[in-house]
Amino acid sequence: MNYSNIRIAGKIYTIPSFSPKTTEKVIKSLRGFEVQELKDIPKGNQILINTIATAISGSSILSQFHAFFIRRRLINQANIEDLIEVTGKVIEMIPASEYYHISELINRLQKLITK
């Protein structure tokens, strides 16, 4: 199992490799991240904070509770440079190649069904 240690807001967090549920939650939290003008930057900060909190808390029973406290800490103590750096690390942890292979298999199955 792969782990990644990140330091943000004066604390060190360990993120294990993502489960399928955690991957789904992280990708959903990153959707809609389009900054067109400067007025969208505070919304961008909130998306980064939600993504990091989701990645750290995982998908356990108490993950929403844990993510709430992580969000509060990040809102109060994190700076934008740290948020951008940690979000980059979280995105690198997403197993994109595995999901690409899954989509290829599903496409082949759909082609077989339509024949």
Side-chain angles (χ1 to χ4, degrees):
M1 195 174 234
N2 296 330
Y3 293 92
S4 179
N5 292 324
I6 58 167
R7 180 180 172 88
I8 189 164
K11 194 167 181 181
I12 297 175
Y13 297 99
T14 300
I15 303 174
S17 60
F18 292 153
S19 67
K21 185 66 175 176
T22 305
T23 303
E24 177 186 358
K25 290 168 80 175
V26 168
I27 290 172
K28 282 183 181 179
S29 67
L30 284 170
R31 281 191 185 153
F33 188 56
E34 295 177 21
V35 179
Q36 301 293 332
E37 300 173 11
L38 289 177
K39 66 179 181 176
D40 294 335
I41 289 177
K43 182 181 177 188
N45 288 344
Q46 192 63 33
I47 290 172
L48 295 177
I49 289 170
N50 286 335
T51 300
I52 295 167
T54 301
I56 293 171
S57 65
S59 59
S60 66
I61 294 172
L62 299 175
S63 64
Q64 294 297 324
F65 184 70
H66 190 222
F68 172 78
F69 287 108
I70 294 171
R71 269 190 226 101
R72 291 290 132 218
R73 182 176 187 91
L74 294 177
I75 288 170
N76 294 329
Q77 297 179 3
N79 58 24
I80 188 67
E81 292 86 14
D82 291 340
L83 291 174
I84 292 170
E85 180 183 339
V86 172
T87 303
K89 289 181 182 179
V90 167
I91 290 172
E92 288 174 3
M93 290 181 65
I94 295 173
S97 63
E98 286 84 358
Y99 286 97
Y100 177 74
H101 292 298
I102 290 171
S103 67
E104 281 184 347
L105 289 172
I106 291 173
N107 286 338
R108 286 185 205 161
L109 178 65
Q110 288 176 348
K111 287 179 183 176
L112 285 173
I113 292 173
T114 57
K115 286 184 178 182

